[in-house]
Structures are given as C-alpha cells and as structure tokens.
Amino acid sequence: MPDASAPPAGNDATAHSVSSPEGEIEIGRLSKVFGAGATAFRALDGVSLAIRRGEFFTLLGPSGCGKTTLLRLIAGFEQPSSGTLRIGGQEVAGLGPNRRPVNTVFQNYALFPHMSVADNIGFGLRMLGRRRAEVQSATAEMLRLVRMEELADRRPGEISGGQQQRVALARALAPRPRVLLLDEPLSALDLKLRKEMQSELKRLQAETGITFVFVTHDQEEALTMSDRIAVMNAGRILQTGSPEEIYNHPADRFVADFIGDTNFLEVELLEVAAAGARIRLPGGAALPANLPAGPAPAAGSCVTVVIRPEHARLADADGALAGTVERSVFFGTDTHVHLRLDDGSSFTLRRQNSAAAGPAPDPGSRVGIALAEGALQLLRN
C-alpha cells in the first residue's frame, strides 16, 4: 500500500502551486463499477461535480455511499469505468497517483516510527530530489505551520495522536500540492481532540490556500469546516451547497434527515407562487413555506415539510401546532422536548437553557408550538 500522506513521486511543488483556474477539480459523469456480470457493483453512478480552487470541500454521506471511492478516483488509486476527471484543467483519468498534483491523508497516518518528526515531514521532498537546503526550509515552515517546532526531534511514538495527525498533514502539505485529499482523518481521535483538529484543519487550509477535499460521515464536521458540501448516497450526489444551504434548504428527505435533527410533517399544499408556497398544517393553520429548487408540486397535493427543532418554541395550546409532551432530554446548553402532536405525529423542539426559559414542561402536559418565520421548508418529491 502506498504511503498514506507522503507526496507522490514527480509531484513538483513549483509546477503545481495553487495558480489554477477557478475550477480546480472538474468531474463529468464519473462512474465506477467493481466486478462484472451479475456480481457487478456500481459504487459511483454518473457523478458530476466542480470543486473550486482554494476551497474546503467536503464529501458527506453514510458508509458505502461512494465518497471514499470518489476520493480514490481523484487520487489515482482507482481508475474510473467511465466519465471525465480534470485537475487544474488537465485530464487525469488513466494517470497513476505519482503523476497527479495531489496528496492524500488517510485515517492511518503512516508515519515512519524510526524517523523524527522533522524527518517524516521532509521525507516526500527528499524523495522528489529536492536540495537539502530546500528540504530544511520547507520542513521548518511546516513545523511552524502545525505549531510543532519544539517537537521536531521526537519520534512518532513519543507524541500524541493529535500531534501525529499534524505531522501527517505537514508531510502532505510540504510539497505544496494543488489538492489535498483527506479520507476521514479525524475518526480515530477522541471527541475533544477531534474538535480541536477541526479548527486546526480549517486554519491550515486558510493559511496555505490549497484546495482541501475532505471525506466524512460526520455531519457536524462537515457543517463546521466546509465552504461547500456534497451530500452523497448510493453512488450519487444528492445536493451540493454551502453548509447553510444544505441545512436550511435540504433538497430531499434523505438530505434533510441526514443533516441535523429534523421534524417531518405531511401537509396539504394550498397554493404555489413565485415567492413561495402556502400549506395547511395538520391542526388547520395555513402558513407560508419555502419552495425547493426544481419543479414545484401541484396545489392540492399532499407534500412533506421540514421543521428544524430550533425553529419551534413552546406556546399556548392554540399555537400553529398542538400536542402532548412525552419527555424532555437535558443536553447542557439546551433541552430537547419530545411531543406527540394531535394527529399522532412525533415532534421535537429545542429550548435554550437559561434562567429566563424556566423549567421544561412535565410529561403529559398539553402545549402549543409556535414556529419561527421561514421555518417551513417544502421537500422535493
């Protein structure tokens, strides 16, 4: 297996510095099929995508959705069954990893245990035949970038998991590739360290200006780190957009359910206009709703709307919705109140814990639910 984060041979830092056109990675109808005949498995199904130069782009989805396969195709560890793949305007489908201007960091950092931190960072540059002075200068710069100057002489076994992660990143960044690919590199870290490394990765990407393509199944990682996200399932991209767009305006039920906590309600679509839709809630209230992209469903049809828990609050029993409290769950900064609506639907709202908020309602309490302006998002069928 190739070294997980060492630069591929022939990856010239000067030739591949970030000076490409706006479209850093351009993917057209890319497919990957493993096997043949009755046992063939289509891991990617006609994926098209454009990743911009210098952005932090995340491929997000459940296990088996195709995100790691797509990353391996970009890296050159796999070759596509069909489609096009360009990096910096150059078609790279068919080229091996050593002929692509990318580096990859995997879950396994693959550091050399007998080498010091500094020697690990400089390894790829030495393999590229760089001059000793250049290797030393680049290594010193990377040590400063990942804030590990004082640990330069230690070996990997003498530093923490988070520090090993920084060394792997520094080694991958040292040759200044056009693109850095990261395949769930934080999954082995504990929660506190993972959150620290999320901030660290975002800082490194901003300071270097290198295009980062990050693979994860963790929605929080994707939302907090990314400039844009592509949500994947069953080998396809379902929606691409900023974290705010993906969260607040999910394209379909899968995206809405996968990203964050979500309430789904079946409602009647009363009318559709350019400015949005108007729907009737199960309790009879008629309210405006945001329309999804694409063709709108016909008025009079039954449709699904999404309401995020933080966009609802407890109110008098004559609120937009009404129901009975089943339980309240304390989460420190907030409390999740789980209710059963009058039509039998389940509903969760989120209350910030503060002195002004008062105690959570008791199980069995009859309550109303008020909705924030713009809380209702219509889903595409």
Side-chain angles (χ1 to χ4, degrees), residues 254-278:
F254 179 90
V255 175
D257 198 28
F258 191 78
I259 304 289
D261 298 323
T262 312
N263 295 298
F264 296 99
L265 292 180
E266 303 304 314
V267 301
E268 180 188 359
L269 179 58
L270 297 176
E271 59 179 344
V272 177
R278 193 165 184 82

PDB file of all heavy atoms in Angstrom, residues 254-278:
ATOM      1  N   PHE A 254     -33.857  12.570   2.240  1.00  0.00           N
ATOM      2  CA  PHE A 254     -32.619  11.968   2.708  1.00  0.00           C
ATOM      3  C   PHE A 254     -31.667  13.027   3.245  1.00  0.00           C
ATOM      4  O   PHE A 254     -31.091  12.879   4.326  1.00  0.00           O
ATOM      5  CB  PHE A 254     -31.930  11.171   1.588  1.00  0.00           C
ATOM      6  CG  PHE A 254     -30.624  10.558   2.024  1.00  0.00           C
ATOM      7  CD1 PHE A 254     -30.598   9.289   2.582  1.00  0.00           C
ATOM      8  CD2 PHE A 254     -29.421  11.254   1.913  1.00  0.00           C
ATOM      9  CE1 PHE A 254     -29.409   8.732   3.022  1.00  0.00           C
ATOM     10  CE2 PHE A 254     -28.236  10.711   2.339  1.00  0.00           C
ATOM     11  CZ  PHE A 254     -28.229   9.436   2.901  1.00  0.00           C
ATOM     12  N   VAL A 255     -31.471  14.105   2.491  1.00  0.00           N
ATOM     13  CA  VAL A 255     -30.561  15.172   2.920  1.00  0.00           C
ATOM     14  C   VAL A 255     -31.054  15.794   4.220  1.00  0.00           C
ATOM     15  O   VAL A 255     -30.279  16.005   5.156  1.00  0.00           O
ATOM     16  CB  VAL A 255     -30.415  16.244   1.819  1.00  0.00           C
ATOM     17  CG1 VAL A 255     -29.562  17.411   2.316  1.00  0.00           C
ATOM     18  CG2 VAL A 255     -29.807  15.648   0.559  1.00  0.00           C
ATOM     19  N   ALA A 256     -32.344  16.079   4.294  1.00  0.00           N
ATOM     20  CA  ALA A 256     -32.902  16.694   5.497  1.00  0.00           C
ATOM     21  C   ALA A 256     -32.719  15.797   6.713  1.00  0.00           C
ATOM     22  O   ALA A 256     -32.412  16.270   7.812  1.00  0.00           O
ATOM     23  CB  ALA A 256     -34.387  16.983   5.284  1.00  0.00           C
ATOM     24  N   ASP A 257     -32.897  14.499   6.534  1.00  0.00           N
ATOM     25  CA  ASP A 257     -32.794  13.556   7.650  1.00  0.00           C
ATOM     26  C   ASP A 257     -31.357  13.304   8.056  1.00  0.00           C
ATOM     27  O   ASP A 257     -31.048  13.111   9.226  1.00  0.00           O
ATOM     28  CB  ASP A 257     -33.471  12.243   7.258  1.00  0.00           C
ATOM     29  CG  ASP A 257     -33.797  11.374   8.461  1.00  0.00           C
ATOM     30  OD1 ASP A 257     -34.011  11.931   9.555  1.00  0.00           O
ATOM     31  OD2 ASP A 257     -33.829  10.149   8.321  1.00  0.00           O
ATOM     32  N   PHE A 258     -30.436  13.334   7.062  1.00  0.00           N
ATOM     33  CA  PHE A 258     -29.034  13.035   7.355  1.00  0.00           C
ATOM     34  C   PHE A 258     -28.335  14.209   8.025  1.00  0.00           C
ATOM     35  O   PHE A 258     -27.419  14.024   8.829  1.00  0.00           O
ATOM     36  CB  PHE A 258     -28.303  12.652   6.058  1.00  0.00           C
ATOM     37  CG  PHE A 258     -26.942  12.071   6.291  1.00  0.00           C
ATOM     38  CD1 PHE A 258     -26.802  10.754   6.709  1.00  0.00           C
ATOM     39  CD2 PHE A 258     -25.798  12.828   6.119  1.00  0.00           C
ATOM     40  CE1 PHE A 258     -25.551  10.205   6.945  1.00  0.00           C
ATOM     41  CE2 PHE A 258     -24.544  12.292   6.347  1.00  0.00           C
ATOM     42  CZ  PHE A 258     -24.423  10.975   6.760  1.00  0.00           C
ATOM     43  N   ILE A 259     -28.742  15.417   7.693  1.00  0.00           N
ATOM     44  CA  ILE A 259     -28.095  16.622   8.222  1.00  0.00           C
ATOM     45  C   ILE A 259     -28.906  17.169   9.384  1.00  0.00           C
ATOM     46  O   ILE A 259     -29.953  17.780   9.199  1.00  0.00           O
ATOM     47  CB  ILE A 259     -27.964  17.716   7.141  1.00  0.00           C
ATOM     48  CG1 ILE A 259     -27.230  17.193   5.926  1.00  0.00           C
ATOM     49  CG2 ILE A 259     -27.275  18.953   7.707  1.00  0.00           C
ATOM     50  CD1 ILE A 259     -25.764  16.952   6.142  1.00  0.00           C
ATOM     51  N   GLY A 260     -28.458  16.935  10.601  1.00  0.00           N
ATOM     52  CA  GLY A 260     -29.093  17.527  11.766  1.00  0.00           C
ATOM     53  C   GLY A 260     -30.380  16.828  12.174  1.00  0.00           C
ATOM     54  O   GLY A 260     -30.866  15.905  11.514  1.00  0.00           O
ATOM     55  N   ASP A 261     -30.949  17.279  13.300  1.00  0.00           N
ATOM     56  CA  ASP A 261     -32.242  16.782  13.768  1.00  0.00           C
ATOM     57  C   ASP A 261     -33.351  17.460  12.977  1.00  0.00           C
ATOM     58  O   ASP A 261     -33.280  18.653  12.676  1.00  0.00           O
ATOM     59  CB  ASP A 261     -32.414  17.077  15.256  1.00  0.00           C
ATOM     60  CG  ASP A 261     -31.367  16.373  16.112  1.00  0.00           C
ATOM     61  OD1 ASP A 261     -31.019  15.229  15.767  1.00  0.00           O
ATOM     62  OD2 ASP A 261     -30.913  16.964  17.107  1.00  0.00           O
ATOM     63  N   THR A 262     -34.385  16.693  12.661  1.00  0.00           N
ATOM     64  CA  THR A 262     -35.398  17.183  11.737  1.00  0.00           C
ATOM     65  C   THR A 262     -36.779  16.684  12.116  1.00  0.00           C
ATOM     66  O   THR A 262     -36.939  15.541  12.523  1.00  0.00           O
ATOM     67  CB  THR A 262     -35.088  16.712  10.296  1.00  0.00           C
ATOM     68  OG1 THR A 262     -33.729  16.958   9.991  1.00  0.00           O
ATOM     69  CG2 THR A 262     -35.956  17.432   9.293  1.00  0.00           C
ATOM     70  N   ASN A 263     -37.790  17.539  11.958  1.00  0.00           N
ATOM     71  CA  ASN A 263     -39.189  17.135  12.048  1.00  0.00           C
ATOM     72  C   ASN A 263     -39.779  17.086  10.645  1.00  0.00           C
ATOM     73  O   ASN A 263     -39.582  18.020   9.846  1.00  0.00           O
ATOM     74  CB  ASN A 263     -39.990  18.138  12.884  1.00  0.00           C
ATOM     75  CG  ASN A 263     -39.539  18.177  14.332  1.00  0.00           C
ATOM     76  OD1 ASN A 263     -39.624  17.185  15.042  1.00  0.00           O
ATOM     77  ND2 ASN A 263     -39.048  19.331  14.776  1.00  0.00           N
ATOM     78  N   PHE A 264     -40.506  16.024  10.333  1.00  0.00           N
ATOM     79  CA  PHE A 264     -41.198  15.894   9.058  1.00  0.00           C
ATOM     80  C   PHE A 264     -42.710  15.913   9.312  1.00  0.00           C
ATOM     81  O   PHE A 264     -43.210  15.190  10.189  1.00  0.00           O
ATOM     82  CB  PHE A 264     -40.831  14.584   8.360  1.00  0.00           C
ATOM     83  CG  PHE A 264     -39.385  14.479   7.981  1.00  0.00           C
ATOM     84  CD1 PHE A 264     -38.501  13.762   8.773  1.00  0.00           C
ATOM     85  CD2 PHE A 264     -38.898  15.083   6.836  1.00  0.00           C
ATOM     86  CE1 PHE A 264     -37.163  13.657   8.432  1.00  0.00           C
ATOM     87  CE2 PHE A 264     -37.569  14.983   6.482  1.00  0.00           C
ATOM     88  CZ  PHE A 264     -36.692  14.266   7.285  1.00  0.00           C
ATOM     89  N   LEU A 265     -43.411  16.728   8.548  1.00  0.00           N
ATOM     90  CA  LEU A 265     -44.866  16.773   8.645  1.00  0.00           C
ATOM     91  C   LEU A 265     -45.491  16.612   7.266  1.00  0.00           C
ATOM     92  O   LEU A 265     -45.021  17.227   6.288  1.00  0.00           O
ATOM     93  CB  LEU A 265     -45.332  18.101   9.242  1.00  0.00           C
ATOM     94  CG  LEU A 265     -44.999  18.391  10.715  1.00  0.00           C
ATOM     95  CD1 LEU A 265     -45.548  19.755  11.101  1.00  0.00           C
ATOM     96  CD2 LEU A 265     -45.557  17.308  11.622  1.00  0.00           C
ATOM     97  N   GLU A 266     -46.515  15.800   7.173  1.00  0.00           N
ATOM     98  CA  GLU A 266     -47.278  15.668   5.934  1.00  0.00           C
ATOM     99  C   GLU A 266     -48.374  16.735   5.954  1.00  0.00           C
ATOM    100  O   GLU A 266     -49.178  16.800   6.902  1.00  0.00           O
ATOM    101  CB  GLU A 266     -47.890  14.276   5.824  1.00  0.00           C
ATOM    102  CG  GLU A 266     -46.870  13.142   5.892  1.00  0.00           C
ATOM    103  CD  GLU A 266     -45.777  13.270   4.844  1.00  0.00           C
ATOM    104  OE1 GLU A 266     -46.126  13.541   3.663  1.00  0.00           O
ATOM    105  OE2 GLU A 266     -44.586  13.123   5.200  1.00  0.00           O
ATOM    106  N   VAL A 267     -48.386  17.582   4.932  1.00  0.00           N
ATOM    107  CA  VAL A 267     -49.298  18.730   4.916  1.00  0.00           C
ATOM    108  C   VAL A 267     -49.969  18.847   3.549  1.00  0.00           C
ATOM    109  O   VAL A 267     -49.554  18.214   2.573  1.00  0.00           O
ATOM    110  CB  VAL A 267     -48.541  20.045   5.238  1.00  0.00           C
ATOM    111  CG1 VAL A 267     -47.869  19.973   6.596  1.00  0.00           C
ATOM    112  CG2 VAL A 267     -47.498  20.345   4.148  1.00  0.00           C
ATOM    113  N   GLU A 268     -50.978  19.685   3.486  1.00  0.00           N
ATOM    114  CA  GLU A 268     -51.662  19.957   2.216  1.00  0.00           C
ATOM    115  C   GLU A 268     -51.069  21.218   1.578  1.00  0.00           C
ATOM    116  O   GLU A 268     -50.908  22.243   2.238  1.00  0.00           O
ATOM    117  CB  GLU A 268     -53.160  20.171   2.460  1.00  0.00           C
ATOM    118  CG  GLU A 268     -53.938  20.468   1.187  1.00  0.00           C
ATOM    119  CD  GLU A 268     -55.385  20.858   1.462  1.00  0.00           C
ATOM    120  OE1 GLU A 268     -55.782  20.867   2.653  1.00  0.00           O
ATOM    121  OE2 GLU A 268     -56.103  21.175   0.493  1.00  0.00           O
ATOM    122  N   LEU A 269     -50.742  21.131   0.301  1.00  0.00           N
ATOM    123  CA  LEU A 269     -50.214  22.283  -0.437  1.00  0.00           C
ATOM    124  C   LEU A 269     -51.397  23.092  -0.974  1.00  0.00           C
ATOM    125  O   LEU A 269     -52.139  22.626  -1.842  1.00  0.00           O
ATOM    126  CB  LEU A 269     -49.319  21.817  -1.585  1.00  0.00           C
ATOM    127  CG  LEU A 269     -48.702  22.908  -2.460  1.00  0.00           C
ATOM    128  CD1 LEU A 269     -47.853  23.867  -1.632  1.00  0.00           C
ATOM    129  CD2 LEU A 269     -47.883  22.285  -3.582  1.00  0.00           C
ATOM    130  N   LEU A 270     -51.582  24.288  -0.448  1.00  0.00           N
ATOM    131  CA  LEU A 270     -52.722  25.110  -0.837  1.00  0.00           C
ATOM    132  C   LEU A 270     -52.472  25.857  -2.133  1.00  0.00           C
ATOM    133  O   LEU A 270     -53.336  25.921  -3.013  1.00  0.00           O
ATOM    134  CB  LEU A 270     -53.053  26.098   0.287  1.00  0.00           C
ATOM    135  CG  LEU A 270     -53.487  25.485   1.620  1.00  0.00           C
ATOM    136  CD1 LEU A 270     -53.685  26.579   2.667  1.00  0.00           C
ATOM    137  CD2 LEU A 270     -54.752  24.662   1.448  1.00  0.00           C
ATOM    138  N   GLU A 271     -51.308  26.497  -2.252  1.00  0.00           N
ATOM    139  CA  GLU A 271     -51.007  27.257  -3.463  1.00  0.00           C
ATOM    140  C   GLU A 271     -49.502  27.400  -3.631  1.00  0.00           C
ATOM    141  O   GLU A 271     -48.739  27.290  -2.673  1.00  0.00           O
ATOM    142  CB  GLU A 271     -51.668  28.639  -3.418  1.00  0.00           C
ATOM    143  CG  GLU A 271     -51.230  29.501  -2.239  1.00  0.00           C
ATOM    144  CD  GLU A 271     -51.900  30.867  -2.245  1.00  0.00           C
ATOM    145  OE1 GLU A 271     -52.452  31.245  -3.292  1.00  0.00           O
ATOM    146  OE2 GLU A 271     -51.863  31.554  -1.211  1.00  0.00           O
ATOM    147  N   VAL A 272     -49.099  27.664  -4.881  1.00  0.00           N
ATOM    148  CA  VAL A 272     -47.686  27.861  -5.209  1.00  0.00           C
ATOM    149  C   VAL A 272     -47.562  29.182  -5.956  1.00  0.00           C
ATOM    150  O   VAL A 272     -48.324  29.458  -6.893  1.00  0.00           O
ATOM    151  CB  VAL A 272     -47.149  26.706  -6.089  1.00  0.00           C
ATOM    152  CG1 VAL A 272     -45.699  26.977  -6.484  1.00  0.00           C
ATOM    153  CG2 VAL A 272     -47.260  25.382  -5.359  1.00  0.00           C
ATOM    154  N   ALA A 273     -46.624  30.019  -5.528  1.00  0.00           N
ATOM    155  CA  ALA A 273     -46.367  31.299  -6.188  1.00  0.00           C
ATOM    156  C   ALA A 273     -44.863  31.478  -6.328  1.00  0.00           C
ATOM    157  O   ALA A 273     -44.069  30.709  -5.780  1.00  0.00           O
ATOM    158  CB  ALA A 273     -46.984  32.446  -5.389  1.00  0.00           C
ATOM    159  N   ALA A 274     -44.471  32.507  -7.069  1.00  0.00           N
ATOM    160  CA  ALA A 274     -43.039  32.756  -7.289  1.00  0.00           C
ATOM    161  C   ALA A 274     -42.307  32.983  -5.977  1.00  0.00           C
ATOM    162  O   ALA A 274     -41.142  32.608  -5.826  1.00  0.00           O
ATOM    163  CB  ALA A 274     -42.869  33.951  -8.217  1.00  0.00           C
ATOM    164  N   ALA A 275     -42.986  33.610  -5.020  1.00  0.00           N
ATOM    165  CA  ALA A 275     -42.341  33.935  -3.746  1.00  0.00           C
ATOM    166  C   ALA A 275     -42.295  32.746  -2.789  1.00  0.00           C
ATOM    167  O   ALA A 275     -41.622  32.802  -1.770  1.00  0.00           O
ATOM    168  CB  ALA A 275     -43.056  35.100  -3.083  1.00  0.00           C
ATOM    169  N   GLY A 276     -43.035  31.688  -3.075  1.00  0.00           N
ATOM    170  CA  GLY A 276     -43.058  30.541  -2.177  1.00  0.00           C
ATOM    171  C   GLY A 276     -44.406  29.847  -2.215  1.00  0.00           C
ATOM    172  O   GLY A 276     -45.252  30.120  -3.081  1.00  0.00           O
ATOM    173  N   ALA A 277     -44.626  28.952  -1.260  1.00  0.00           N
ATOM    174  CA  ALA A 277     -45.858  28.170  -1.212  1.00  0.00           C
ATOM    175  C   ALA A 277     -46.650  28.527   0.040  1.00  0.00           C
ATOM    176  O   ALA A 277     -46.141  29.175   0.956  1.00  0.00           O
ATOM    177  CB  ALA A 277     -45.523  26.682  -1.231  1.00  0.00           C
ATOM    178  N   ARG A 278     -47.885  28.038   0.059  1.00  0.00           N
ATOM    179  CA  ARG A 278     -48.715  28.164   1.252  1.00  0.00           C
ATOM    180  C   ARG A 278     -49.289  26.783   1.531  1.00  0.00           C
ATOM    181  O   ARG A 278     -49.834  26.126   0.642  1.00  0.00           O
ATOM    182  CB  ARG A 278     -49.830  29.199   1.044  1.00  0.00           C
ATOM    183  CG  ARG A 278     -50.531  29.596   2.347  1.00  0.00           C
ATOM    184  CD  ARG A 278     -51.355  30.863   2.152  1.00  0.00           C
ATOM    185  NE  ARG A 278     -51.951  31.311   3.408  1.00  0.00           N
ATOM    186  CZ  ARG A 278     -51.315  32.024   4.331  1.00  0.00           C
ATOM    187  NH1 ARG A 278     -50.054  32.354   4.138  1.00  0.00           N
ATOM    188  NH2 ARG A 278     -51.923  32.399   5.442  1.00  0.00           N
TER     189      ARG A 278
END
